[in-house]
Amino acid sequence: MREEELLTVKQVGTELGMPFTRVRSLISRGRLKAVLMPAGAATSRVSRADLRRYTEEVAREDRDRRRRARDKALGQLTASWDRLSDDERKHLETVLPVEIFRPLADATRPHCVRRPEALKALCTAYGNRTDAGMEELAMDMPPDLLWAVARVRTALREAEEA
């Protein structure tokens, strides 16, 4: 291995935006592979390839975590909707703004072909609510359904930001 392919712990910390002590911790826990130089532990080096493998692994873990959070939030939304009686759903249809109710009804049907668009529309409409509009929703919707919509919006926004 050529010398220029190896990075010091401080260089790795700078590239990852973390203190070098955290890099040392990653090395000692085996999350990040390092080469021990002849001078001892203080001269650990990380190859560029191992750093790339680590960052790819962290990115993959983050994507998986976001996907699990999204799936959990969608499950909670569907479960909250399913707990409503037909009368409660009809009541919601009369009191909720159409830009909230329609996508909510579509988004809670797991096999609906328009589900992705419905979720996006629901999140947009929910996010565009003013403080007063949020208070109205809180008064009109069952709490678990309102919170489920909020969690879905958060999970989908995090997934988009990734």
Side-chain angles (χ1 to χ4, degrees):
M1 191 175 297
R2 295 189 328 254
E3 186 66 29
E4 62 269 13
E5 293 177 313
L6 298 177
L7 303 169
T8 67
V9 172
K10 286 185 179 184
Q11 288 171 322
V12 171
T14 299
E15 287 202 22
L16 294 177
M18 65 176 63
F20 75 92
T21 54
R22 172 105 193 275
V23 175
R24 286 194 195 283
S25 175
L26 291 171
I27 292 169
S28 69
R29 290 190 338 247
R31 288 286 319 260
L32 180 59
K33 186 177 174 187
V35 176
L36 186 60
M37 301 304 282
T43 59
S44 296
R45 298 289 187 267
V46 176
S47 73
R48 176 91 38 210
D50 286 329
L51 179 59
R52 186 175 42 259
R53 273 191 287 277
Y54 169 76
T55 57
E56 289 169 358
E57 178 183 331
V58 168
R60 186 175 48 257
E61 290 169 354
D62 189 52
R63 280 190 307 273
D64 290 347
R65 181 192 59 77
R66 290 174 195 261
R67 182 187 44 77
R68 286 190 307 272
R70 183 200 65 218
D71 291 349
K72 181 179 178 181
L74 291 174
Q76 291 170 336
L77 179 67
T78 301
S80 294
W81 182 259
D82 288 346
R83 282 191 290 273
L84 297 175
S85 68
D86 287 340
D87 288 341
E88 289 171 315
R89 289 182 192 154
K90 286 177 186 173
H91 173 72
L92 285 178
E93 187 173 14
T94 63
V95 297
L96 291 179
V98 68
E99 67 270 10
I100 296 281
F101 181 80
R102 292 262 185 248
L104 175 61
D106 286 342
T108 53
R109 291 187 287 147
H111 302 293
C112 177
V113 292
R114 295 188 325 247
R115 190 175 196 202
E117 295 84 12
L119 286 168
K120 185 174 182 177
L122 175 63
C123 292
T124 300
Y126 178 86
N128 289 339
R129 305 295 290 176
T130 63
D131 287 345
M134 290 305 290
E135 286 181 23
E136 287 176 26
L137 282 182
M139 296 192 56
D140 293 337
M141 292 176 79
D144 64 325
L145 185 60
L146 180 67
W147 281 107
V149 171
R151 284 189 290 273
V152 164
R153 180 172 183 256
T154 299
L156 292 179
R157 282 179 56 200
E158 285 183 0
E160 286 176 1
E161 292 171 2

Short mmCIF file of all heavy atoms in Angstrom, two decimals, residues 28-75:
data_model
loop_
_atom_site.label_atom_id
_atom_site.label_comp_id
_atom_site.label_asym_id
_atom_site.label_seq_id
_atom_site.Cartn_x
_atom_site.Cartn_y
_atom_site.Cartn_z
N SER A 28 -11.48 1.34 17.40
CA SER A 28 -11.37 0.37 18.50
C SER A 28 -12.58 -0.57 18.55
O SER A 28 -12.46 -1.72 18.97
CB SER A 28 -11.18 1.07 19.84
OG SER A 28 -12.36 1.76 20.21
N ARG A 29 -13.76 -0.09 18.11
CA ARG A 29 -14.95 -0.94 18.09
C ARG A 29 -15.04 -1.79 16.83
O ARG A 29 -15.96 -2.58 16.68
CB ARG A 29 -16.21 -0.07 18.21
CG ARG A 29 -16.36 0.55 19.58
CD ARG A 29 -17.71 1.23 19.80
NE ARG A 29 -18.44 1.61 18.62
CZ ARG A 29 -18.70 2.86 18.24
NH1 ARG A 29 -18.26 3.87 18.97
NH2 ARG A 29 -19.38 3.11 17.15
N GLY A 30 -14.11 -1.58 15.90
CA GLY A 30 -14.09 -2.37 14.68
C GLY A 30 -15.01 -1.86 13.59
O GLY A 30 -15.20 -2.55 12.58
N ARG A 31 -15.60 -0.70 13.75
CA ARG A 31 -16.48 -0.14 12.71
C ARG A 31 -15.66 0.42 11.55
O ARG A 31 -16.13 0.44 10.42
CB ARG A 31 -17.34 1.00 13.28
CG ARG A 31 -18.44 0.65 14.20
CD ARG A 31 -19.67 0.02 13.56
NE ARG A 31 -20.15 0.55 12.30
CZ ARG A 31 -21.16 1.39 12.15
NH1 ARG A 31 -21.81 1.82 13.18
NH2 ARG A 31 -21.54 1.78 10.95
N LEU A 32 -14.47 0.89 11.84
CA LEU A 32 -13.60 1.47 10.82
C LEU A 32 -12.26 0.74 10.91
O LEU A 32 -11.64 0.70 11.97
CB LEU A 32 -13.42 2.98 11.08
CG LEU A 32 -12.55 3.76 10.11
CD1 LEU A 32 -13.09 3.66 8.68
CD2 LEU A 32 -12.49 5.22 10.54
N LYS A 33 -11.87 0.18 9.79
CA LYS A 33 -10.62 -0.58 9.74
C LYS A 33 -9.43 0.37 9.66
O LYS A 33 -9.46 1.36 8.94
CB LYS A 33 -10.64 -1.51 8.53
CG LYS A 33 -9.47 -2.45 8.46
CD LYS A 33 -9.62 -3.36 7.26
CE LYS A 33 -8.37 -4.20 7.10
NZ LYS A 33 -8.41 -4.97 5.86
N ALA A 34 -8.39 0.06 10.44
CA ALA A 34 -7.18 0.89 10.44
C ALA A 34 -5.95 -0.01 10.42
O ALA A 34 -5.99 -1.16 10.85
CB ALA A 34 -7.15 1.78 11.68
N VAL A 35 -4.89 0.55 9.92
CA VAL A 35 -3.60 -0.13 9.87
C VAL A 35 -2.73 0.46 10.97
O VAL A 35 -2.62 1.69 11.09
CB VAL A 35 -2.93 0.08 8.49
CG1 VAL A 35 -1.55 -0.54 8.45
CG2 VAL A 35 -3.82 -0.45 7.39
N LEU A 36 -2.14 -0.40 11.79
CA LEU A 36 -1.25 0.07 12.85
C LEU A 36 0.15 0.19 12.27
O LEU A 36 0.73 -0.75 11.76
CB LEU A 36 -1.27 -0.93 14.01
CG LEU A 36 -0.52 -0.52 15.25
CD1 LEU A 36 -1.09 0.77 15.84
CD2 LEU A 36 -0.61 -1.63 16.29
N MET A 37 0.68 1.39 12.33
CA MET A 37 2.02 1.65 11.80
C MET A 37 3.06 1.15 12.81
O MET A 37 2.76 0.98 13.99
CB MET A 37 2.19 3.14 11.53
CG MET A 37 1.16 3.70 10.52
SD MET A 37 1.13 2.85 8.95
CE MET A 37 2.57 3.56 8.19
N PRO A 38 4.30 0.96 12.39
CA PRO A 38 5.34 0.42 13.27
C PRO A 38 5.57 1.24 14.55
O PRO A 38 5.97 0.68 15.56
CB PRO A 38 6.59 0.43 12.39
CG PRO A 38 6.09 0.43 11.00
CD PRO A 38 4.78 1.13 11.02
N ALA A 39 5.25 2.52 14.56
CA ALA A 39 5.52 3.35 15.73
C ALA A 39 4.53 3.13 16.86
O ALA A 39 4.71 3.65 17.95
CB ALA A 39 5.55 4.82 15.33
N GLY A 40 3.42 2.40 16.64
CA GLY A 40 2.48 2.12 17.72
C GLY A 40 1.08 2.62 17.43
O GLY A 40 0.77 3.13 16.36
N ALA A 41 0.20 2.49 18.45
CA ALA A 41 -1.23 2.80 18.30
C ALA A 41 -1.48 4.25 17.93
O ALA A 41 -2.47 4.56 17.27
CB ALA A 41 -1.96 2.46 19.60
N ALA A 42 -0.64 5.15 18.36
CA ALA A 42 -0.85 6.56 18.06
C ALA A 42 -0.65 6.87 16.59
O ALA A 42 -0.95 7.97 16.15
CB ALA A 42 0.09 7.42 18.90
N THR A 43 -0.13 5.91 15.84
CA THR A 43 0.12 6.16 14.43
C THR A 43 -0.78 5.30 13.54
O THR A 43 -0.39 4.89 12.46
CB THR A 43 1.60 5.89 14.09
OG1 THR A 43 1.90 4.53 14.43
CG2 THR A 43 2.51 6.84 14.83
N SER A 44 -1.98 5.05 13.98
CA SER A 44 -2.95 4.31 13.16
C SER A 44 -3.23 5.11 11.90
O SER A 44 -3.29 6.33 11.90
CB SER A 44 -4.26 4.11 13.91
OG SER A 44 -4.07 3.31 15.04
N ARG A 45 -3.43 4.38 10.82
CA ARG A 45 -3.76 4.99 9.54
C ARG A 45 -4.96 4.27 8.96
O ARG A 45 -5.15 3.08 9.16
CB ARG A 45 -2.59 4.90 8.55
CG ARG A 45 -1.32 5.60 8.98
CD ARG A 45 -1.50 7.12 8.92
NE ARG A 45 -0.26 7.81 9.17
CZ ARG A 45 0.13 8.25 10.36
NH1 ARG A 45 -0.62 8.05 11.41
NH2 ARG A 45 1.28 8.90 10.50
N VAL A 46 -5.76 5.00 8.22
CA VAL A 46 -6.95 4.45 7.58
C VAL A 46 -6.78 4.62 6.07
O VAL A 46 -6.46 5.72 5.60
CB VAL A 46 -8.22 5.18 8.06
CG1 VAL A 46 -9.46 4.68 7.32
CG2 VAL A 46 -8.39 5.05 9.57
N SER A 47 -6.97 3.53 5.36
CA SER A 47 -6.85 3.64 3.90
C SER A 47 -8.08 4.37 3.34
O SER A 47 -9.17 4.33 3.90
CB SER A 47 -6.73 2.26 3.26
OG SER A 47 -7.96 1.58 3.30
N ARG A 48 -7.87 5.02 2.23
CA ARG A 48 -8.96 5.73 1.55
C ARG A 48 -10.08 4.75 1.21
O ARG A 48 -11.26 5.06 1.36
CB ARG A 48 -8.40 6.41 0.30
CG ARG A 48 -9.38 7.08 -0.54
CD ARG A 48 -9.71 8.51 -0.33
NE ARG A 48 -8.69 9.43 0.03
CZ ARG A 48 -8.95 10.52 0.78
NH1 ARG A 48 -10.16 10.73 1.22
NH2 ARG A 48 -8.01 11.37 1.06
N ALA A 49 -9.73 3.53 0.80
CA ALA A 49 -10.74 2.52 0.44
C ALA A 49 -11.56 2.12 1.67
O ALA A 49 -12.78 1.97 1.58
CB ALA A 49 -10.06 1.30 -0.17
N ASP A 50 -10.90 1.95 2.82
CA ASP A 50 -11.63 1.59 4.04
C ASP A 50 -12.53 2.74 4.51
O ASP A 50 -13.63 2.51 5.01
CB ASP A 50 -10.67 1.18 5.16
CG ASP A 50 -10.07 -0.19 4.93
OD1 ASP A 50 -10.75 -1.03 4.31
OD2 ASP A 50 -8.92 -0.42 5.37
N LEU A 51 -12.06 3.96 4.34
CA LEU A 51 -12.89 5.11 4.68
C LEU A 51 -14.12 5.15 3.77
O LEU A 51 -15.25 5.37 4.24
CB LEU A 51 -12.09 6.41 4.56
CG LEU A 51 -12.87 7.69 4.86
CD1 LEU A 51 -13.43 7.67 6.27
CD2 LEU A 51 -11.96 8.90 4.65
N ARG A 52 -13.94 4.88 2.49
CA ARG A 52 -15.06 4.86 1.56
C ARG A 52 -16.04 3.74 1.93
O ARG A 52 -17.26 3.96 1.94
CB ARG A 52 -14.56 4.69 0.13
CG ARG A 52 -15.64 4.79 -0.92
CD ARG A 52 -15.13 4.75 -2.37
NE ARG A 52 -14.09 3.76 -2.62
CZ ARG A 52 -12.78 4.03 -2.72
NH1 ARG A 52 -12.34 5.26 -2.59
NH2 ARG A 52 -11.91 3.07 -2.95
N ARG A 53 -15.54 2.56 2.28
CA ARG A 53 -16.41 1.46 2.69
C ARG A 53 -17.22 1.84 3.93
O ARG A 53 -18.42 1.59 4.01
CB ARG A 53 -15.60 0.20 2.98
CG ARG A 53 -15.34 -0.65 1.76
CD ARG A 53 -14.77 -2.01 2.13
NE ARG A 53 -13.38 -1.93 2.56
CZ ARG A 53 -12.33 -1.90 1.76
NH1 ARG A 53 -12.50 -1.93 0.45
NH2 ARG A 53 -11.11 -1.85 2.23
N TYR A 54 -16.57 2.51 4.89
CA TYR A 54 -17.25 2.93 6.11
C TYR A 54 -18.36 3.94 5.78
O TYR A 54 -19.48 3.80 6.25
CB TYR A 54 -16.26 3.54 7.10
CG TYR A 54 -16.95 4.21 8.26
CD1 TYR A 54 -17.51 3.47 9.28
CD2 TYR A 54 -17.08 5.60 8.31
CE1 TYR A 54 -18.18 4.08 10.33
CE2 TYR A 54 -17.74 6.22 9.34
CZ TYR A 54 -18.28 5.46 10.35
OH TYR A 54 -18.95 6.07 11.38
N THR A 55 -18.06 4.94 4.97
CA THR A 55 -19.08 5.96 4.66
C THR A 55 -20.24 5.35 3.88
O THR A 55 -21.39 5.74 4.08
CB THR A 55 -18.47 7.16 3.91
OG1 THR A 55 -17.83 6.70 2.72
CG2 THR A 55 -17.49 7.91 4.78
N GLU A 56 -19.95 4.40 3.00
CA GLU A 56 -21.03 3.73 2.26
C GLU A 56 -21.89 2.90 3.21
O GLU A 56 -23.12 2.87 3.08
CB GLU A 56 -20.45 2.84 1.15
CG GLU A 56 -19.87 3.64 0.00
CD GLU A 56 -19.06 2.80 -0.97
OE1 GLU A 56 -18.90 1.57 -0.74
OE2 GLU A 56 -18.59 3.37 -1.98
N GLU A 57 -21.27 2.23 4.18
CA GLU A 57 -22.01 1.44 5.16
C GLU A 57 -22.89 2.33 6.02
O GLU A 57 -24.07 2.02 6.25
CB GLU A 57 -21.03 0.67 6.05
CG GLU A 57 -21.70 -0.15 7.13
CD GLU A 57 -20.69 -0.83 8.05
OE1 GLU A 57 -19.57 -1.13 7.60
OE2 GLU A 57 -21.03 -1.03 9.22
N VAL A 58 -22.37 3.46 6.45
CA VAL A 58 -23.16 4.40 7.26
C VAL A 58 -24.33 4.95 6.45
O VAL A 58 -25.45 5.05 6.96
CB VAL A 58 -22.26 5.54 7.80
CG1 VAL A 58 -23.08 6.67 8.39
CG2 VAL A 58 -21.28 4.99 8.83
N ALA A 59 -24.09 5.27 5.19
CA ALA A 59 -25.17 5.77 4.33
C ALA A 59 -26.25 4.71 4.13
O ALA A 59 -27.45 5.01 4.18
CB ALA A 59 -24.60 6.21 2.98
N ARG A 60 -25.84 3.46 3.93
CA ARG A 60 -26.79 2.36 3.77
C ARG A 60 -27.60 2.16 5.05
O ARG A 60 -28.83 2.01 5.01
CB ARG A 60 -26.05 1.08 3.39
CG ARG A 60 -26.94 -0.10 3.07
CD ARG A 60 -26.16 -1.33 2.58
NE ARG A 60 -25.02 -1.67 3.40
CZ ARG A 60 -23.73 -1.41 3.08
NH1 ARG A 60 -23.43 -0.80 1.96
NH2 ARG A 60 -22.74 -1.78 3.88
N GLU A 61 -26.93 2.20 6.20
CA GLU A 61 -27.63 2.07 7.49
C GLU A 61 -28.64 3.21 7.68
O GLU A 61 -29.74 3.00 8.17
CB GLU A 61 -26.64 2.04 8.64
CG GLU A 61 -25.81 0.79 8.71
CD GLU A 61 -24.65 0.89 9.70
OE1 GLU A 61 -24.41 1.99 10.25
OE2 GLU A 61 -23.98 -0.14 9.92
N ASP A 62 -28.25 4.41 7.28
CA ASP A 62 -29.14 5.56 7.41
C ASP A 62 -30.36 5.41 6.51
O ASP A 62 -31.48 5.69 6.92
CB ASP A 62 -28.37 6.85 7.10
CG ASP A 62 -29.18 8.08 7.42
OD1 ASP A 62 -29.69 8.18 8.56
OD2 ASP A 62 -29.31 8.96 6.54
N ARG A 63 -30.15 4.98 5.26
CA ARG A 63 -31.27 4.74 4.35
C ARG A 63 -32.22 3.68 4.91
O ARG A 63 -33.44 3.84 4.86
CB ARG A 63 -30.78 4.30 2.97
CG ARG A 63 -30.29 5.42 2.08
CD ARG A 63 -30.06 4.94 0.65
NE ARG A 63 -29.20 3.78 0.55
CZ ARG A 63 -27.86 3.81 0.49
NH1 ARG A 63 -27.24 4.96 0.51
NH2 ARG A 63 -27.16 2.70 0.39
N ASP A 64 -31.65 2.61 5.47
CA ASP A 64 -32.47 1.55 6.05
C ASP A 64 -33.26 2.06 7.25
O ASP A 64 -34.44 1.73 7.41
CB ASP A 64 -31.60 0.36 6.47
CG ASP A 64 -31.03 -0.41 5.29
OD1 ASP A 64 -31.49 -0.19 4.15
OD2 ASP A 64 -30.10 -1.22 5.51
N ARG A 65 -32.63 2.88 8.08
CA ARG A 65 -33.31 3.45 9.25
C ARG A 65 -34.46 4.35 8.81
O ARG A 65 -35.56 4.27 9.34
CB ARG A 65 -32.33 4.24 10.11
CG ARG A 65 -32.97 4.85 11.36
CD ARG A 65 -32.07 5.86 12.04
NE ARG A 65 -31.70 6.97 11.19
CZ ARG A 65 -32.49 8.00 10.88
NH1 ARG A 65 -33.71 8.06 11.35
NH2 ARG A 65 -32.06 8.97 10.11
N ARG A 66 -34.22 5.17 7.80
CA ARG A 66 -35.28 6.06 7.29
C ARG A 66 -36.43 5.25 6.67
O ARG A 66 -37.59 5.60 6.83
CB ARG A 66 -34.71 7.03 6.26
CG ARG A 66 -33.81 8.08 6.88
CD ARG A 66 -33.15 8.92 5.78
NE ARG A 66 -32.05 9.69 6.27
CZ ARG A 66 -32.13 10.97 6.59
NH1 ARG A 66 -33.26 11.61 6.49
NH2 ARG A 66 -31.05 11.61 7.01
N ARG A 67 -36.09 4.18 5.97
CA ARG A 67 -37.12 3.33 5.37
C ARG A 67 -37.97 2.67 6.45
O ARG A 67 -39.20 2.64 6.37
CB ARG A 67 -36.49 2.26 4.47
CG ARG A 67 -37.52 1.37 3.78
CD ARG A 67 -36.88 0.20 3.03
NE ARG A 67 -35.82 -0.48 3.76
CZ ARG A 67 -36.01 -1.34 4.76
NH1 ARG A 67 -37.22 -1.62 5.18
NH2 ARG A 67 -34.98 -1.93 5.34
N ARG A 68 -37.31 2.17 7.50
CA ARG A 68 -38.06 1.55 8.60
C ARG A 68 -38.95 2.58 9.30
O ARG A 68 -40.10 2.28 9.64
CB ARG A 68 -37.10 0.91 9.62
CG ARG A 68 -36.49 -0.39 9.15
CD ARG A 68 -35.75 -1.10 10.27
NE ARG A 68 -34.77 -0.27 10.93
CZ ARG A 68 -33.50 -0.13 10.56
NH1 ARG A 68 -33.06 -0.76 9.50
NH2 ARG A 68 -32.67 0.64 11.25
N ALA A 69 -38.45 3.79 9.49
CA ALA A 69 -39.25 4.85 10.12
C ALA A 69 -40.45 5.19 9.24
O ALA A 69 -41.57 5.37 9.76
CB ALA A 69 -38.40 6.09 10.38
N ARG A 70 -40.24 5.28 7.94
CA ARG A 70 -41.35 5.58 7.02
C ARG A 70 -42.38 4.47 7.06
O ARG A 70 -43.58 4.72 7.17
CB ARG A 70 -40.81 5.75 5.60
CG ARG A 70 -41.89 6.13 4.60
CD ARG A 70 -41.50 5.83 3.17
NE ARG A 70 -41.37 4.38 3.02
CZ ARG A 70 -40.45 3.78 2.29
NH1 ARG A 70 -39.55 4.46 1.63
NH2 ARG A 70 -40.41 2.47 2.20
N ASP A 71 -41.93 3.21 6.99
CA ASP A 71 -42.86 2.08 7.01
C ASP A 71 -43.64 2.02 8.32
O ASP A 71 -44.84 1.73 8.32
CB ASP A 71 -42.10 0.77 6.78
CG ASP A 71 -41.55 0.65 5.37
OD1 ASP A 71 -41.92 1.47 4.50
OD2 ASP A 71 -40.72 -0.26 5.14
N LYS A 72 -42.98 2.30 9.42
CA LYS A 72 -43.66 2.30 10.72
C LYS A 72 -44.71 3.41 10.77
O LYS A 72 -45.84 3.19 11.22
CB LYS A 72 -42.64 2.49 11.85
CG LYS A 72 -43.25 2.47 13.22
CD LYS A 72 -42.21 2.63 14.30
CE LYS A 72 -42.85 2.66 15.68
NZ LYS A 72 -41.85 2.84 16.74
N ALA A 73 -44.35 4.60 10.30
CA ALA A 73 -45.29 5.72 10.31
C ALA A 73 -46.49 5.42 9.42
O ALA A 73 -47.63 5.71 9.79
CB ALA A 73 -44.58 7.00 9.86
N LEU A 74 -46.25 4.83 8.24
CA LEU A 74 -47.36 4.47 7.35
C LEU A 74 -48.26 3.42 7.99
O LEU A 74 -49.49 3.46 7.87
CB LEU A 74 -46.84 3.98 6.00
CG LEU A 74 -46.18 5.03 5.12
CD1 LEU A 74 -45.57 4.39 3.88
CD2 LEU A 74 -47.17 6.10 4.73
N GLY A 75 -47.66 2.48 8.69
CA GLY A 75 -48.44 1.46 9.40
C GLY A 75 -49.30 2.07 10.49
O GLY A 75 -50.46 1.69 10.67
#
